[in-house]
Amino acid sequence: MSFLSEFSRTEVGPKQAQLFNIWVRQHTLELFAELRANEPNFAVTAKGPIVVTRFRDVQEVLSRPTVFTVRGYAPKMDPSVGPYMLARDDTVLNQRDKSVMWTMLRREDLPNVRKMVADLADKAITAGLSQGRLEVVSNVSRKVILQMTGAYSGFPGPDIETMMRWSRATQNDMFHNFPQNDETVHQASVQAGAEMRAYLQELIPQRRAELEKNPELDDTLSRLLKTKFPDIVGFNEERIISNVMGLLVGAGETSSAAIVQSLDVLLDRPNEFNLAKQAAQDGNDELLSNIVWEALRFKPQAPFVVRICAEPYTIAAGSTRAVTVQPGMVVLASIASAMHDENELVHPNEFCTDRPDYHYMHLGYGHHRCLGDHISKVQVPEIMKRLLLRKGLRRSPDDLGRLDFKGGSFPEAFYVDMDS
C-alpha cells in the first residue's frame, strides 16, 4: 500500500502523524518520491507541519530566513551553548559571529586539515582493528572527527570519551528532539553545555599564558584570543566560548553519519565501491569526493531541516502545488527529497559521479549552510579514503555488517572486515 493510501485510511490526528514518522524512518526515499509526485507540499495535519519536497520549493524556503525562521532551535541551544548564530536569523548576532568565525576557519588550512585527518584515521583504524574486524563508528568515524575538531579548534576536551558524550548529547537534543521534546534528552544537552563552558573557562586563561610564551600557536581558539576585538563589536570572551562550543556541536554526529552511511551505500554497490577504491589508490581526491557525496545522497544524514513560519506566505505561488503557510506553522524542508527531485536532477535514481555541487544539500542551503562546509568536504572523503586503502575491505557477515542505529537518531555500530 502506498503512503498516501494508508494515510487516508488512518484516523485523523496523532495516528496520522505517527504513521508519517514511521515512513520517514523506514521508507524515506519511497515516501518522498510519492509526495513529490502527488502532494509536493504535504500537510501532515491541518495545523502542520508542512513537508516541502521539491528542489525549487526547498530552496525557496531556505532562502527566506526572515519568513521561515530557525527560532525553534533557540529553546534548545541557548540553555546549552548560550545564544548562538544557528538559532538566529537575520540578526546582528548571526551576521557578526558568522563573519568572525569564517575568518578563523581559513580555506588556506585545507591541505593541513587533509594531512591531519589522514594521520588520525590511519592510527584509529590500526588501533581499532582486531583480528581483521573493525567497528567503524566508535573507532573511526566519531573518534577521528572529534580528534580533528579538538585539534583544529584548540578545544581538545579532557578526553575523547567526554568529547563524544558532549557532541552526542547536544546534537541529539538540538536536531533530533522534535517534536517529542523529551526533557531527559534536553537536560543531557544542558549538562553537556555546562561542562563544556566550565572546561573552556579554565582552558582560556591557560591558552592566553601559552600564547604569551609562543605567539605562533595556531588553532581556532588561539586565533580568536590573538584577535583584538573593539568593545563596539561586541565579540567578547562569552562569544568566543559559545562559538568554540558550537564547533563541536556542529561537527560530530553529522560527519560521523556521513562517513558510515556513504560507506554503507557503497558496500551495496560493487561497481561504485570498486570505482571508489581505485580513486583512493590513484590519489584522485576529486573523483573520490564526488563518489562519497553521491553515495550519501541515497542515505542522507537527515530527511529534512526544521523551520518556523513567521508570516503568511505562499510556497510555489502560482503553481498547482502552491500552499499557504500561516505564522507559527512548522515547515519541514526535505533536503533528502530535494536531492532526488526528477524535476531538477538528471537520472535522480542513478548513481552519477558528475553531478553539479549545487545539487547536493548535505551541508545545508542558504543562510544557514554549514559554517565549516569546506572542512567537511575534505575530512569526510579523506576518512573514507583511509578505509578504502585497506586491503580486502568488506562488510562483516550477518547482522554485524548492518548499519545499526540501536533505535536512536545516530549510527551506533557498523562492522567491516579487512585483510590488513
Side-chain angles (χ1 to χ4, degrees), residues 326-338:
Q326 299 299 330
M329 291 183 73
V330 174
V331 176
L332 304 179
S334 179
I335 55 178
S337 178

Side-chain angles (χ1 to χ4, degrees), residues 10 197 241 249:
T10 302
R197 184 174 303 278
I241 290 174
V249 173

Side-chain angles (χ1 to χ4, degrees), residues 1 3-20 42-46:
M1 184 183 298
F3 166 74
L4 290 173
S5 296
E6 188 175 357
F7 189 84
S8 66
R9 298 181 185 188
T10 302
E11 181 182 340
V12 174
K15 289 188 177 180
Q16 285 187 327
Q18 183 180 31
L19 177 65
F20 173 75
F42 173 70
V44 179
T45 73

Side-chain angles (χ1 to χ4, degrees), residues 85 98 106 134 152 154 157 179 311:
M85 70 175 82
K98 187 183 296 182
R106 303 183 308 184
L134 174 71
Y152 183 71
E311 60 187 64

Side-chain angles (χ1 to χ4, degrees), residues 345-413:
L345 278 71
V346 177
H347 305 306
N349 296 322
E350 296 181 11
F351 195 108
C352 301
T353 61
D354 59 352
R355 296 192 188 278
D357 183 66
Y358 55 78
H359 278 167
Y360 295 112
M361 295 187 180
H362 303 300
L363 300 168
Y365 179 83
H367 193 65
H368 289 285
R369 183 174 170 85
C370 175
L371 181 74
D373 59 353
H374 54 300
I375 295 172
S376 293
K377 285 183 176 181
V378 170
Q379 67 180 358
V380 169
E382 187 62 31
I383 293 171
M384 180 74 80
K385 179 180 181 180
R386 310 325 293 182
L387 288 163
L388 291 165
L389 287 173
R390 297 290 176 133
K391 293 181 181 178
L393 178 66
R394 58 198 180 275
R395 191 187 297 274
S396 296
D398 304 322
D399 288 344
L400 281 178
R402 296 182 182 179
L403 185 56
D404 190 353
F405 286 73
K406 298 188 184 298
S409 303
F410 309 116
E412 299 290 351

